[in-house]
Amino acid sequence: MQISHLWITFFLAAKKWLWLGVLVMLCQTTTVYAQALPVAKPENVNRLLSGVLQQGMQKRGFAANDHRFGNTLARVSPAVSGIAGTTAAAVTVGAITAPAWATVALAAGVGAVVSYAVTLAIDGLVSWLFNEDSVDVSSAPINSEESTISLGGAYWSAGSPRGTIYGGNGIAVARQSYGEFATQYGVTAAPSCSSNASIAICTATEPDAIGSFLSRQALYYNSGAPSSCVRGHFFLDGIGCIPYAADEGEYLEEVSPQRAIEAMPEEDLNKPVNPAILAALVNRAWQHGASQPNYDGLPYPQADPITQTEVSTWTQANPEFAPTVRDFVAPNPSTNPNTNPWALPSNPTAPNLSPAAPNTGTTNPAINQPLQNLGPDPGIGAPTFETIPTAQQIAQPILDMLPNLSGYKPSSHTGECPRPTIELYGIHVLDAHCTLIDDNKSVIQAAMLLAWALIALFIILSA
């Protein structure tokens, strides 16, 4: 009996301490650490511009020890700084307000090069169309993986006023075709779409002004896609991969850069920047730098601009410095000691960036020879040419080298045609050949004269 009481006492004590431990754990304060947000690095855009520009100059045959090589980097920097300081719009992200590389690209006229809607991010969800001082933003309505197409693979196809549309989703292609023709014909009715394994059809739900129902269809092909496009995009003949603009996607027309940046989804911010935009930015920066007074760098290669492939080559070789969309749209303020955040570094992969400086002690031979404006009629006159020589004048030097040959005459010779005789049942004279020769004497003489003349000429020339 006494042993049972001991076990009961022990059990009650253990239960008390167990509840006490649980209560202590519940009352303890748990420290929660906030996850740090990704930090934007606008300087990665500086690195890329410098790296691609140097790579492009070397590819076009210019050596790094050419004094104009370094001068190009040094002269492009103030041109970009001028754009950023005068015409590029400032954007605000958090507590920082300053121009971003995106607004510098807009002010530099990237839209003149990339004149179509393009995703800021590789495989991005949102596309930008750069205007003069604003942006058109469109979101892709079809973002499933099945909407992609691969070169040579299966695809859906439909016509449009701009050309043939190729895509990976039949409904999306049919809706895109319907939307473009609806805009052209002024049809405002929304379409009703359906699809099977081989055909997708979108038909207007209401008649137009003349009582017709607009209808567009897309057909399925199991191979032969003309290009590869990421999800949310279709391929258009003559243009390339562009995002769908179906009516269920968001579309913002001519919005400010600030509004366009605010519309960027978080998923896109951490993706690499589209090389098409970066290549256009490099080209525009080089053009602006080369157009400045007293420019002493390399001329901009108008017929051989920087390409997307060159940008991709540099980012693949330097993935740790490949700029993201966050770097591209983040404010890039002046700080101490970095008072010029737009300067291009001389060594784009160095841990600490140093702005490129121009070469000293060099001269530009044309700097003191400004171009002259000769006016509409400088009175110079038409150019004159030497008299074209005749065939006789061209051959005369050769003929003068052989004066004896020009007076050569073959010696004359006389002979008699042989007339043999035979005795066979009498005497017979064989002279028929003589008659033949005499009848054609002039022709045979001319032929033999030519033959002997040629033989004599060959003997003389071979001596």
Side-chain angles (χ1 to χ4, degrees):
M1 187 69 178
Q2 185 178 4
I3 295 175
S4 297
H5 284 294
L6 289 175
W7 277 106
I8 294 172
T9 303
F10 177 76
F11 176 76
L12 293 175
K15 183 176 180 181
K16 178 181 178 181
W17 284 107
L18 178 63
W19 281 107
L20 180 62
V22 172
L23 181 62
V24 171
M25 292 178 62
L26 292 175
C27 292
Q28 284 183 339
T29 301
T30 302
T31 302
V32 179
Y33 296 94
Q35 184 178 3
L37 294 176
V39 178
K41 297 180 180 179
E43 65 273 12
N44 280 348
V45 182
N46 301 55
R47 293 178 183 272
L48 181 137
L49 292 182
S50 175
V52 173
L53 190 55
Q54 294 185 53
Q55 173 186 271
M57 289 187 288
Q58 291 177 337
K59 181 181 178 182
R60 286 154 181 79
F62 299 103
N65 59 1
D66 188 329
H67 72 274
R68 298 173 298 172
F69 193 98
N71 287 355
T72 302
L73 293 176
R75 304 312 180 193
V76 169
S77 293
V80 175
S81 299
I83 296 171
T86 57
T87 57
V91 296
T92 300
V93 176
I96 302 177
T97 299
W101 276 109
T103 59
V104 169
L106 182 66
V110 166
V113 182
V114 186
S115 57
Y116 52 91
V118 60
T119 57
L120 261 66
I122 297 176
D123 193 18
L125 304 178
V126 173
S127 298
W128 280 17
L129 175 63
F130 292 88
N131 302 314
E132 291 185 1
D133 56 359
S134 62
V135 179
D136 293 350
V137 181
S138 58
S139 62
I142 305 297
N143 291 317
S144 63
E145 290 299 331
E146 68 176 6
S147 69
T148 63
I149 57 172
S150 300
L151 179 64
Y155 68 95
W156 292 79
S157 177
S160 81
R162 297 184 292 170
T164 303
I165 296 172
Y166 303 88
N169 183 286
I171 295 292
V173 171
R175 290 183 69 92
Q176 181 68 32
S177 175
Y178 176 91
E180 295 193 16
F181 277 104
T183 301
Q184 183 182 34
Y185 298 145
V187 176
T188 59
S192 173
C193 302
S194 61
S195 175
N196 56 31
S198 60
I199 187 171
I201 301 176
C202 287
T203 304
T205 54
E206 297 177 2
D208 57 18
I210 61 175
S212 298
F213 287 81
L214 177 64
S215 180
R216 300 299 304 167
Q217 66 181 23
L219 301 179
Y220 177 78
Y221 299 89
N222 57 14
S223 64
S227 179
S228 298
C229 292
V230 299
R231 58 192 176 97
H233 294 68
F234 64 91
F235 181 81
L236 184 64
D237 273 341
I239 297 181
C241 295
I242 57 178
Y244 288 100
D247 54 5
E248 69 264 28
E250 181 183 12
Y251 183 75
L252 304 175
E253 186 175 3
E254 295 186 355
V255 298
S256 66
Q258 179 73 51
R259 177 69 181 90
I261 292 173
E262 291 173 351
M264 293 294 300
E266 184 69 24
E267 183 180 350
D268 276 11
L269 292 176
N270 297 321
K271 295 179 180 179
V273 182
N274 192 326
I277 299 175
L278 295 174
L281 180 56
V282 175
N283 285 310
R284 296 301 291 176
W286 194 351
Q287 284 178 317
H288 278 276
S291 65
Q292 301 306 308
N294 300 324
Y295 175 73
D296 54 1
L298 292 170
Y300 172 70
Q302 191 71 41
D304 187 20
I306 301 294
T307 64
Q308 301 180 40
T309 302
E310 293 176 80
V311 173
S312 298
T313 299
W314 191 90
T315 55
Q316 290 170 7
N318 305 277
E320 67 275 23
F321 300 125
T324 64
V325 175
R326 189 183 303 276
D327 304 332
F328 190 69
V329 301
N332 192 20
S334 299
T335 59
N336 189 11
N338 186 17
T339 57
N340 184 8
W342 312 102
L344 303 188
S346 55
N347 183 357
T349 59
N352 299 317
L353 300 182
S354 298
N359 292 291
T360 58
T362 60
T363 59
N364 183 350
I367 193 170
N368 296 321
Q369 301 176 13
L371 297 176
Q372 299 294 329
N373 184 359
L374 301 178
D377 185 11
I380 295 175
T384 58
F385 299 95
E386 296 180 358
T387 304
I388 300 176
T390 63
Q392 178 65 31
Q393 291 173 329
I394 295 174
Q396 193 62 44
I398 300 177
L399 298 177
D400 291 342
M401 294 173 61
L402 303 170
N404 295 332
L405 181 61
S406 62
Y408 172 78
K409 292 182 180 180
S411 58
S412 59
H413 179 74
T414 58
E416 183 179 355
C417 178
R419 292 177 173 80
T421 59
I422 60 173
E423 294 183 3
L424 181 62
Y425 303 109
I427 298 175
H428 302 276
V429 179
L430 304 178
D431 58 356
H433 62 287
C434 294
T435 304
L436 178 63
I437 291 173
D438 288 340
D439 293 342
N440 299 277
K441 179 179 180 180
S442 59
V443 176
I444 295 174
Q445 283 181 333
M448 292 298 102
L449 180 63
L450 176 61
W452 284 108
L454 291 174
I455 292 173
L457 179 62
F458 290 151
I459 293 174
I460 294 173
L461 293 178
S462 64

